[in-house]
Amino acid sequence: MTIRRSLTGVTAAALAASLIGGGAWALQNAPQQPPAAQTPPTAPTPAPAPVQPRPAPTPRPAPTGPGAQPIVPQSSTTTTPAPPTASTAPARPAPAAKPAATEPEKPAEPLKRARSSVAILQALDKVTTETMRFEAPVGQPIRYKTLVFTVRACETTAPDEDAPDSIAYVTVDTQPKALPGRVAPPGRQIFKGWMYANSPGLNPLEHPVYDAWLIACKTSAPVAPAANR
């Protein structure tokens, strides 16, 4: 058995050697042809990768029970909202108009007091308890015994004032009467200020013998005292 295998191997080797020698002789005796232009090998184009389909989303089981809300499947692709155009863009609010400049209101002017031309005065002699009421025109001196009254102004309060009243600005001088054939001695001022008809004690005449106060203001013609004493 071993001898048969070795003979088979020798026969195959000899046959191969004869084939190799015949091939070499055929190549040497073949006519020589110019070599063809060789083209550079091109890189093979890679085949596109196969696109695998996305698995479909698995539906969730619907919730059960009171107050359960259905589950809405979310899309795998998100959409980008388009920018607003001139027709769809929200309108900007118009700027608020500036308030017009208003001038501050001027306070109402107070009403003027009514001025009278005559003041009604009343005098009292504290020694004899004698009283006398008389009218004194504005700017005209009026004598009562040794006193000389001169009214400079007499006014009545305006309707918009709180307390209605009559007031007079009076000056009072003391001057004894002149004796017959002699010059009257100079007078001396003992009072100057406002007298109030409704408040005689607010600014009273201070004299040891006489007292006087304002009664009212009027515009009629003055009436002289009955007698000068």
Side-chain angles (χ1 to χ4, degrees):
M1 188 68 176
T2 303
I3 295 171
R4 186 179 296 179
R5 289 180 180 177
S6 62
L7 290 176
T8 304
V10 173
T11 303
L15 180 59
S18 64
L19 292 175
I20 293 172
W25 179 83
L27 291 173
Q28 291 178 1
N29 294 333
Q32 299 293 329
Q33 295 179 358
Q38 296 180 0
T39 58
T42 58
T45 302
V51 179
Q52 298 181 359
R54 291 188 178 181
T58 305
R60 298 181 182 178
T64 60
Q69 298 180 356
I71 300 175
V72 179
Q74 299 181 354
S75 176
S76 58
T77 59
T78 58
T79 58
T80 304
T85 60
S87 59
T88 60
R92 294 183 179 179
K98 295 183 179 180
T102 57
E103 296 182 359
E105 296 182 359
K106 295 181 180 181
E109 296 183 359
L111 299 177
K112 293 183 179 181
R113 292 179 174 180
R115 291 201 171 190
S116 304
S117 58
V118 179
I120 302 176
L121 302 175
Q122 186 164 338
L124 168 65
D125 187 342
K126 299 178 183 178
V127 177
T128 62
T129 66
E130 179 186 7
T131 61
M132 185 177 183
R133 181 174 295 187
F134 57 92
E135 297 181 357
V138 175
Q140 180 179 345
I142 298 296
R143 173 180 288 274
Y144 172 73
K145 295 186 177 183
T146 60
L147 301 181
V148 179
F149 295 85
T150 304
V151 179
R152 303 298 179 181
C154 194
E155 301 177 352
T156 303
T157 54
D160 59 345
E161 295 188 48
D162 295 337
D165 200 355
S166 296
I167 56 178
Y169 191 82
V170 184
T171 60
V172 181
D173 298 336
T174 177
Q175 184 181 22
K177 288 183 179 181
L179 297 177
R182 294 187 180 182
V183 180
R188 179 174 60 88
Q189 189 176 84
I190 60 174
F191 178 83
K192 179 178 68 174
W194 290 95
M195 289 185 177
Y196 299 87
N198 291 344
S199 302
L202 187 60
N203 189 24
L205 168 67
E206 295 180 357
H207 190 273
V209 179
Y210 304 108
D211 195 2
W213 58 91
L214 175 67
I215 300 300
C217 296
K218 59 179 293 186
T219 56
S220 60
V223 177
N228 292 333
R229 300 179 185 178

